[in-house]
């Protein structure tokens, strides 16, 4: 049992300790701890142990397999619950989640609410900054409310949303997703728009009610979470940048 090792270790040692402890459990991604070599090399799987670590470190959590994370949180009824990754994901989905988790996104494990945004322009999280600016103009301090704004660097929100929701075992905190509709672009006369014609001639395709038609990706996202009371999808009709 290891309690909050980040209180005494700088980030590099936090990572080394996490890898070391993963090795003790037999995880192939961990750095195996040193063993005494006698006549035959001692195999780590012969001495596997269970390791429980408590932490508030966004440095440590990205170096733990997502399936091994247990997120302890307080729900809207002030009850203490545990959230975890569902076990019905395939290896490809688990690998995608592991790739997406870094120090920045790991802040969501310790938040009371999360805002996911897409698109990072020239390495700068433009929409993330706008979220804080808009909240400030409304007299809202996101940091004091424990809300984390997480740039996804793309549009694969569903990968991270696997952890959140109303169901038992999910992290039951409010989540907002801010994304583009990414509609099909057309010319003023309704014909298909092509990149070489320039952005100033592109118009979003609309339905008979003059409402922008979202891309299949955005439409699926809106539909999947339409009735979810904790996860809200906000799709802009124009490119957010």
């Amino acid at each position: 049992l290891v309690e909050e090792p980040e209180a005494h270790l700088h980030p590099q040692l936090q990572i080394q300790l996490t890898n070391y402890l993963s090795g003790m459990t037999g995880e192939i991604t961990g750095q195996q701890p040193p063993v005494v070599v006698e006549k035959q090399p001692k195999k780590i799987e012969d001495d596997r142990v269970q390791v429980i670590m408590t932490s508030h470190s966004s440095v440590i959590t990205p170096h733990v397999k997502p399936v091994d994370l247990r997120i302890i949180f307080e729900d809207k009824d002030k009850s203490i619950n545990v959230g975890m990754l569902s076990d019905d994901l395939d290896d490809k989905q688990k690998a995608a989640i592991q790739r997406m988790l870094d120090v920045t996104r790991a802040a969501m494990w310790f938040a009371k609410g999360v805002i996911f945004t897409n698109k990072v322009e020239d390495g700068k999280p433009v929409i993330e900054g706008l979220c804080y600016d808009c909240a400030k103009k409304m007299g809202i301090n996101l940091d004091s409310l424990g809300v984390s704004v997480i740039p996804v660097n793309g549009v694969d929100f569903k990968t991270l949303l696997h952890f959140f929701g109303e169901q038992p075992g999910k992290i039951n905190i409010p989540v907002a997703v801010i994304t583009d509709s990414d509609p099909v672009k057309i010319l003023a006369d309704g014909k298909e728009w092509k990149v070489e014609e320039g952005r100033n001639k592109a118009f979003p395709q609309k339905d008979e009610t003059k409402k922008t038609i979202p891309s299949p990706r955005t439409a699926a996202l809106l539909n999947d979470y339409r009735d979810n009371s904790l996860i809200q999808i906000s799709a802009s009709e124009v490119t957010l940048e």
Side-chain angles (χ1 to χ4, degrees), residues 98-240:
Q98 182 76 70
R99 286 195 301 271
M100 293 187 72
L101 294 179
D102 57 15
V103 172
T104 299
R105 298 185 188 96
M108 66 186 185
W109 304 136
F110 314 105
K112 295 182 179 179
V114 178
I115 300 174
F116 288 118
T117 68
N118 70 325
K119 303 287 187 182
V120 173
E121 289 294 312
D122 300 323
K124 300 177 181 179
V126 178
I127 313 305
E128 179 186 4
L130 285 175
C131 287
Y132 283 105
D133 289 342
C134 290
K136 185 177 180 180
K137 288 183 179 296
M138 297 169 65
I140 299 172
N141 188 318
L142 294 178
D143 291 328
S144 66
L145 293 175
V147 177
S148 291
V149 182
I150 309 294
V152 174
N153 296 9
V155 294
D156 188 12
F157 298 106
K158 285 188 177 181
T159 294
L160 295 179
L161 288 175
H162 279 300
F163 285 95
F164 302 91
E166 306 161 301
Q167 306 92 327
K170 298 285 188 180
I171 304 175
N172 310 141
I173 62 173
V175 176
V177 174
I178 301 176
T179 184
D180 295 331
S181 290
D182 289 331
V184 174
K185 298 177 180 64
I186 59 174
L187 297 172
D189 59 6
K191 294 182 180 179
E192 181 183 359
W193 171 81
K194 296 179 181 179
V195 177
E196 56 268 21
E197 295 176 284
R199 282 186 172 271
N200 62 324
K201 294 184 179 180
F203 295 90
Q205 189 176 29
K206 298 180 181 293
D207 60 20
E208 60 276 4
T209 65
K210 303 299 181 182
K211 186 176 181 180
T212 298
I213 301 174
S215 66
R217 186 270 307 175
T218 304
L221 193 64
L222 289 165
N223 184 66
D224 288 348
Y225 298 96
R226 189 179 306 280
D227 299 320
N228 195 303
S229 64
L230 290 175
I231 300 175
Q232 181 175 337
I233 312 298
S234 297
S236 171
E237 291 195 1
V238 295
T239 301
L240 290 170

Side-chain angles (χ1 to χ4, degrees), residues 23-26 32-33 35 42-49:
M24 291 182 65
T25 67
Q32 293 186 359
V35 293
K42 195 173 183 180
K43 294 183 179 180
I44 190 64
E45 58 262 31
D46 296 336
D47 291 313
R48 289 183 298 171
V49 297

